[in-house]
Amino acid sequence: MSGMPGFREPNAAFEKYAEESDTVHLTRQTIATLDHPLTIEIKGLTAGDPEYRIVMDCGYSRSYYYSDIKPRAIREFADF
């Protein structure tokens, strides 16, 4: 009860942190379930890496990256 000694009102900032922490944890779990090049793609996109860097990290040609890897990564990530 709010009038009792030792009672603390819920901290809105802490509650928001806890919710965001859960979201980050679930996002990391989802990314970990993807195939290797798809994991690189999604990690790069969420980190804000430039696309040329992501293409190089995937190890595939630019045309294959844009025609297969990127669309498939986004589709599979969105399905979770």
Side-chain angles (χ1 to χ4, degrees):
M1 295 199 193
S2 60
M4 303 284 296
F7 178 80
R8 298 174 90 180
E9 291 291 327
N11 184 341
F14 179 76
E15 288 178 12
K16 183 174 179 160
Y17 168 79
E19 289 174 13
E20 289 176 359
S21 179
D22 289 343
T23 301
V24 168
H25 179 71
L26 291 173
T27 302
R28 287 183 177 166
Q29 281 183 321
T30 301
I31 291 171
T33 64
L34 301 173
D35 292 338
H36 180 67
L38 305 183
T39 300
I40 293 171
E41 165 64 18
I42 296 297
K43 281 183 179 180
L45 287 175
T46 56
D49 293 345
E51 284 203 59
Y52 74 88
R53 170 56 103 198
I54 299 169
V55 172
M56 289 180 4
D57 290 345
C58 284
Y60 294 99
S61 68
R62 288 188 80 207
S63 60
Y64 184 70
Y65 168 81
Y66 284 109
S67 68
D68 186 64
I69 300 293
K70 184 176 181 178
R72 192 163 42 115
I74 292 171
R75 216 176 23 254
E76 286 191 25
F77 185 71
D79 285 344
F80 282 96

